[in-house]
C-alpha cells in the first residue's frame, strides 16, 4: 500500500520534460491564458513554504485551465539583483554574483521538484547581461521621452545600509531592510516621471479585477487632492510664493502662513535677527521623518522668519513662519494657516499665540465636531458671506484668478520614482558624463553596460562602481574625449517593472521583445503574489506598461488584468516563520516523506487560498491518509475494470446514485477551482470517494460505466495531484497524458435525483428517514410516512391532530 511516492514524482517529471508536454506555442489552438506568479527573489538559499503556497495552487489552477482548453503560458524566473545579496556579500565575503547564481541553481531544482508546468524555455534572470541590457534600454527610452531625469533632491538616507531609500522603503521612520533610523541627504538622483501618469494610474484602477484593499492602497498612495493654488506676496519685496489648499473657502480666516524648512524661500526672506533661530531649526528638521512631521498628535514646533506676507484678498499683513509640519515635497511646500478650521494650524497657533479667526460661511459639518470649532473671533468674509462651502470655493478662486493670484489645482501625493542607488548589485545606469557634451546616453549598440565583477563593494556612502577606475573611465560617444560613466545602479524595482513582457520573448537578441508577439500574449490574465507589493511593484509595472504603450511598443494599457494575493503560511505556533524563531517549515523534508502532491494538496486543502494560516503536521498527515485512501479505492476500481468479472450492462439504481455524485463533484470542483477556492473543491473530491467505494462493493457492476466515472474522477484530481493522477491514468490503460484530456463536463439532468430523503418527525422529534420518489405529491408523502413501521410505533394509540409536509425534506406529525 502507499505506492505513491517520490519515485512517481520523478518518473512523471522526466516524462513531462522529455515529451515537452508543457511547451508553450503561441500559435497553438485555444484561447491564450497568461498565468503568472511573482518571480522568486533568490536572497535566501531555499524555497520556503510561502513560495510553495504561491506557486503550487496557482499551478493547479493553470492545469485546470489547460484542461478547459486554454493555451496556458506560465513562465518562471528570478528577480536576482538587489540589496540582500550585496549585504550578504559584505557579511561573508562571497561575491553577490556567486551567491546569487548558486541560490538560483538550488531554487531551480526545488521548483522542478514541485512538478509545476512552468515554461522553463522562457526562464529569465534579471542579473544576466542578456536581461539587464534591455533594462538599460528601457531606461534610455524613458530618457528620450523625458520620463527619466536627474535632479538634486533631499532623499531618505539609511546611514547603516549607506544607501538612498524610496519613501515606500521607509517603514515607521526606519529602513525597511535594517530598521535603522532614516535621515535626509541632498543628492543628485535619477527619477522616473511616474507622476505624468498619476491621473491614469488612479482612474483605471476601477477597471481591474484586483483585491479591493490593494486598489484602495494604490488610490491612497497616488492620493489625488483637488484644491487651489493661492499666491501670497512677500511684504516690501518683489518675492512671492504659492500655497496649496483644499479649503480656499477659508482664505479670509488665514492669520499666518508656514513654509517648510527646506523651502528655498526661507533663506531669502529670513531677517538677520531671526537668522540663527531659523538655521538651527532647519538643522533639527533634517532629523525628522516625513511621517513624524505629519503626525497630528505631535507637539508643533516652528520659528518666525521676521517677515510678513500680504493677504491676497484683504491686503492685511500675515506673519511668515517656518514649521516642519509643512512638508517640502507636498504641494508647494507652503501652507496658508487657518487655525479655526484646521487642527494642525490650530495647535500651532495656540502654541505660538497667533490669532485664530473663524470664517462664518465656511464652517463645514465635519468641523463643528472638532474641539476647537468654537474658537476664535468670528470674521466676516465680505462679498463671500452667506455662501455654502462649495460656492465660496468657486467664487473665491474666480476672484483670485482675475487678479492672477490663484487658480484651481490638482495635487498628488505620488512622487516621481527615485531609481538610482549607490550600490553595486544592480543594473548600471547607461549614461556617460562628458565635460563638453554633458549627459550622454550610451548608444544602444553599446549595451549592455556590463557590471564589472571585481569591485570593492564595502559601503562608505559612495557608489562602489565609482571606485572601479576601469569602469568609470570611458570615452564620450559624442566627441570621443575622455568621459566618466554614471556609477549609480538602478533600483531593482526597475528590473521587475517589465519582466512579464520579456518572458514571452526571452531569447530575442535584437529587441527587448517583439511587439506583435507580446501584444498577442499579454496582458497577464492572472497574476498571483503577496500583498506586500501592493504599492511599489504593481504601481511601477503599471506605469512602465503605460509608458511603453505611449512609445508605441504595446497596444494594451494594464499589465495585470486580474490579481490575487495568496495568504501567509505561518509557523505551527501561529507566528510568522523565521529562522530565529525556529518555526520554519522546510518543504524538502516533507516532500521526501510524502511526495510533492501531498504537500501541495495539504496547502490547498488546509488553508483558504487568500487567507493562509498556521502550518499543522496533523493536517498534512490527514491529507496523506486521504491520498492513500483514494489510491486504495482506485486500486479496487482498476482491478474490477481489468478483471471484467461480474459485469452488467444496465443502468440501475446504484449506477444512477454514483452518476449523481459524479456530476455533483464535477460541478462543485469546476465552480470552486475557477474561483481559486481549492479547499472546498478538494473536500468535494473526498466525498466522492465514499460514493465510489460504495459502488465498488456492489455484487455486479457496469464496468464500462465505472471506467467512465473513474476516468472523470482522475481528470478532476489531476490539477491537484498531478504526479499521482498521471500514474493512475496510466494504470487505467489510458493514453499519456491526462493533461491532454478535456476537463469533464457536468450534466444537469444527472444532478436531479430520482429519490429524495425525507425526515419524519413526531411532535418535532425525528423518528425515521425514508426515501421517496422525488416527484411524489404531498398526499403520497403523507400516506407513505403514516405507513412506515417505525412511525406507526412512535404514534402508538395517540390521536393524530395534524400532518405537515414540507416537500422534498420533512414530514411533521402532530399527535396528542
Ligand atoms: C488651508 C486649510 C484649511 C487646509 C482647512 C485644510 C483645512 P490634502 O487633502 O492631503 O491634499 N497642506 C498643503 N500643503 C502642505 C504641505 N506641504 N505640508 C503639510 N500640509 C500641507 O491636504 C491639503 C491641505 O493640507 C491643504 O489645505 C493645506 O492645508 C495642507 F480648514 O489649506 B489646507
Ligand atoms: Zn563629449
Amino acid at each position: 500500500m502507499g505506492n505513491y511516492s517520490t519515485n512517481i514524482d520523478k518518473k512523471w517529471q522526466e516524462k513531462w520534460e522529455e515529451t515537452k508536454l508543457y511547451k508553450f506555442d503561441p500559435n497553438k489552438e485555444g484561447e491564450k491564458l497568461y498565468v503568472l506568479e511573482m518571480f522568486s527573489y533568490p536572497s535566501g538559499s531555499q524555497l520556503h513554504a510561502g513560495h510553495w503556497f504561491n506557486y503550487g495552487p496557482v499551478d493547479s489552477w493553470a492545469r485546470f485551465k489547460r484542461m478547459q482548453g486554454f493555451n496556458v503560458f506560465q513562465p518562471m524566473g528570478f528577480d536576482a539583483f538587489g540589496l540582500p545579496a550585496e549585504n550578504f556579500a559584505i557579511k561573508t565575503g562571497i561575491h553577490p554574483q556567486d551567491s546569487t547564481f548558486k541560490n538560483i541553481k538550488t531554487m531551480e531544482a526545488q521548483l522542478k521538484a514541485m512538478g509545476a508546468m512552468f515554461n522553463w524555455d522562457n526562464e529569465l534572470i534579471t542579473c544576466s547581461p542578456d536581461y539587464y541590457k534591455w533594462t538599460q534600454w528601457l531606461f534610455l527610452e524613458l530618457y528620450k521621452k523625458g520620463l527619466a531625469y536627474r535632479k538634486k533632491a533631499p532623499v531618505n538616507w539609511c546611514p547603516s545600509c549607506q544607501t538612498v531609500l524610496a519613501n515606500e522603503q521607509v517603514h515607521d521612520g526606519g529602513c525597511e531592510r535594517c530598521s535603522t533610523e532614516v535621515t535626509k541627504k541632498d543628492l543628485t538622483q535619477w527619477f522616473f516621471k511616474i507622476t505624468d501618469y498619476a491621473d491614469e494610474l488612479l482612474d483605471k484602477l476601477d477597471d481591474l479585477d484586483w483585491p479591493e484593499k490593494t486598489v484602495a492602497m494604490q488610490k491612497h498612495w497616488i492620493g489625488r487632492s483637488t484644491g487651489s493654488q493661492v499666491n501670497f506676496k512677500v511684504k516690501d519685496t518683489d518675492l512671492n510664493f504659492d500655497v496649496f489648499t483644499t479649503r480656499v473657502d477659508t482664505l479670509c480666516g488665514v492669520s499666518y502662513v508656514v513654509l517648510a524648512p527646506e523651502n528655498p524661500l526661507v533663506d531669502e526672506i529670513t531677517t538677520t535677527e531671526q537668522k540663527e533661530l531659523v538655521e538651527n531649526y532647519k538643522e533639527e528638521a533634517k532629523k525628522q521623518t516625513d511621517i513624524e512631521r505629519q503626525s497630528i498628535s505631535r507637539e508643533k514646533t516652528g520659528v518666525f522668519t521676521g517677515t510678513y506676507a500680504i493677504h491676497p484678498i484683504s491686503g492685511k499683513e500675515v506673519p511668515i513662519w517656518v514649521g516642519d509640519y509643512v512638508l517640502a515635497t507636498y504641494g508647494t511646500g507652503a501652507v496658508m494657516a487657518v487655525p479655526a478650521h484646521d487642527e494642525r494650524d490650530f495647535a500651532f497657533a495656540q502654541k505660538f499665540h497667533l490669532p485664530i479667526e473663524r470664517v462664518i460661511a465656511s464652517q463645514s459639518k465635519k468641523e463643528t465636531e472638532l474641539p476647537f470649532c468654537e474658537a476664535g473671533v468670528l470674521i466676516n468674509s465680505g462679498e463671500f458671506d452667506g455662501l455654502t462651502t462649495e460656492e465660496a470655493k468657486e467664487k473665491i478662486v474666480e476672484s483670485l484668478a482675475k487678479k492672477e493670484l490663484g487658480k484651481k489645482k490638482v495635487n498628488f501625493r505620488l512622487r516621481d520614482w527615485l531609481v538610482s542607488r549607490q550600490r553595486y548589485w544592480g543594473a548600471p545606469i547607461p549614461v556617460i558624463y562628458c565635460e563638453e557634451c554633458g549627459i550622454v546616453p550610451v548608444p544602444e549598440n553599446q549595451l549592455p553596460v556590463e557590471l564589472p565583477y571585481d569591485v570593492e563593494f564595502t559601503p562608505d556612502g559612495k557608489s562602489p562602481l565609482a571606485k572601479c577606475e576601469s569602469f568609470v573611465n570611458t570615452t564620450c560617444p559624442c566627441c570621443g574625449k575622455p568621459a566618466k560613466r554614471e556609477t549609480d545602479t538602478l533600483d531593482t524595482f526597475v528590473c521587475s517593472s517589465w519582466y512579464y513582457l520579456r518572458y514571452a520573448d526571452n531569447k530575442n537578441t535584437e529587441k527587448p521583445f517583439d511587439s506583435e508577439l507580446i501584444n498577442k500574449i499579454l496582458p497577464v490574465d492572472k497574476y498571483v503574489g503577496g500583498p506586500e507589493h501592493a504599492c511599489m511593484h504593481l504601481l511601477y509595472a503599471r506605469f512602465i506598461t503605460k509608458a511603453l504603450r505611449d512609445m508605441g511598443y504595446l497596444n494594451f494599457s494594464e499589465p495585470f488584468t486580474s490579481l490575487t494575493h495568496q495568504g501567509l503560511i505561518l509557523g505551527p505556533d501561529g507566528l510568522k516563520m523565521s529562522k530565529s524563531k525556529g518555526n520554519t517549515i522546510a518543504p524538502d523534508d516533507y516532500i521526501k516523506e510524502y511526495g510533492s502532491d501531498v504537500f501541495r494538496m495539504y496547502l490547498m486543502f488546509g488553508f483558504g487560498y487568500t487567507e493562509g494560516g498556521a502550518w499543522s503536521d496533523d493536517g498534512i498527515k490527514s491529507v496523506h491518509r486521504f491520498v492513500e485512501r483514494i489510491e486504495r479505492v482506485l486500486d479496487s476500481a482498476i482491478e474490477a475494470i481489468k478483471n471484467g468479472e461480474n459485469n452488467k450492462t444496465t443502468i440501475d439504481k446504484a449506477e444512477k446514485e454514483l452518476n449523481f455524485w459524479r456530476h455533483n463533484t464535477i460541478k462543485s470542483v469546476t465552480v470552486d477551482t475557477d474561483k481559486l477556492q481549492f479547499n472546498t473543491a478538494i473536500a468535494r473530491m473526498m466525498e466522492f470517494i465514499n460514493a465510489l467505494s460504495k459502488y465498488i462493493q456492489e455484487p455486479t457492476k457496469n464496468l464500462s460505466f465505472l471506467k467512465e466515472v473513474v476516468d472523470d474522477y482522475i481528470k478532476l484530481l489531476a490539477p491537484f495531484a498531478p504526479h499521482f493522477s498521471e500514474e493512475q491514468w496510466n494504470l487505467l490503460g489510458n493514453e499519456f497524458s491526462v493533461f491532454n484530456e478535456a476537463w469533464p463536463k457536468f450534466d444537469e439532468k444527472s444532478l436531479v435525483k430520482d429519490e429524495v430523503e425525507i425526515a419524519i418527525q413526531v411532535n418535532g422529534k425525528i423518528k425515521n428517514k425514508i426515501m421517496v420518489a422525488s416527484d411524489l405529491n404531498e398526499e403520497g408523502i403523507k400516506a407513505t410516512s403514516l405507513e412506515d413501521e417505525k412511525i406507526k410505533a412512535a404514534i402508538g394509540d395517540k390521536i393524530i391532530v395534524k400532518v405537515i409536509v414540507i416537500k422534498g425534506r420533512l414530514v411533521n406529525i402532530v399527535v396528542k
Side-chain angles (χ1 to χ4, degrees), residues 223-228 243-251 254 258 260 293-294 323-345 362 364 367 372 411-413:
R224 181 162 58 200
S225 174
T226 312
S228 322
V243 301
F244 172 71
T245 177
T246 46
R247 292 293 307 275
V248 73
D249 57 301
T250 64
L251 183 57
V254 171
V258 190
R293 286 169 58 166
Q294 278 178 295
D324 69 4
Y325 78 103
V326 178
L327 301 180
T329 49
Y330 188 72
T332 60
V335 304
M336 58 180 228
V338 197
H341 297 269
D342 182 277
E343 208 172 341
R344 280 183 287 183
D345 298 343
S362 289
S364 73
E367 282 163 20
F372 54 89
N411 205 33
F412 292 91
R413 215 174 84 86

Side-chain angles (χ1 to χ4, degrees), residues 68 71 147 158 167 175 213 227-228 282 369 451 475-476 516 533 554 585 588 631 646 707 725 753 769 779 801:
Q68 282 194 327
N71 185 16
L147 290 170
C158 172
N167 281 340
C175 167
K213 220 174 136 190
S228 322
K282 279 170 60 180
E369 288 159 15
L451 187 66
T475 48
C476 171
E516 209 182 306
H533 292 296
L554 306 174
I585 293 297
D588 294 28
E631 194 172 12
N646 305 324
K707 166 83 165 56
S725 306
K753 274 189 157 185
K769 287 178 182 172
E779 280 308 307
V801 181

Side-chain angles (χ1 to χ4, degrees), residues 517-535:
L517 181 67
I518 296 302
N519 287 334
K520 218 160 128 182
I521 299 173
L522 277 104
V524 172
D525 299 284
K526 182 55 130 184
Y527 196 30
V528 184
E532 65 277 13
H533 292 296
C535 278

Side-chain angles (χ1 to χ4, degrees), residues 32 34 73 498-506 508 512-524 548 553-556:
K32 75 90 188 175
Y34 189 166
F73 181 48
W498 77 283
Y499 79 110
Y500 49 91
L501 303 173
R502 177 72 180 173
Y503 268 142
D505 197 11
N506 65 332
N508 201 327
F513 49 77
D514 179 71
S515 293
E516 209 182 306
L517 181 67
I518 296 302
N519 287 334
K520 218 160 128 182
I521 299 173
L522 277 104
V524 172
L548 287 169
Y553 291 109
L554 306 174
N555 71 358
F556 53 94

Side-chain angles (χ1 to χ4, degrees), residues 412-478:
F412 292 91
R413 215 174 84 86
L414 183 70
R415 298 275 78 91
D416 277 340
W417 174 14
L418 198 168
V419 295
S420 42
R421 296 285 179 276
Q422 294 67 52
R423 301 297 299 218
Y424 166 64
W425 193 234
I429 294 176
V431 161
I432 290 167
Y433 301 101
C434 167
E435 272 181 20
E436 303 263 309
C437 315
I439 299 177
V440 184
V442 174
E444 199 181 312
N445 61 12
Q446 288 176 27
L447 296 181
V449 176
E450 283 211 45
L451 187 66
Y453 184 88
D454 283 316
V455 171
E456 171 56 57
F457 45 75
T458 324
D460 58 5
K462 275 196 233 89
S463 304
L465 290 178
K467 290 175 268 182
C468 181
E469 299 268 313
S470 59
F471 176 83
V472 177
N473 296 318
T474 183
T475 48
C476 171
C478 278

Side-chain angles (χ1 to χ4, degrees), residues 5 86 323 326 368 445 449 608 709 754:
S5 71
E86 191 166 338
V326 178
T368 54
N445 61 12
V449 176
V709 174
D754 290 342

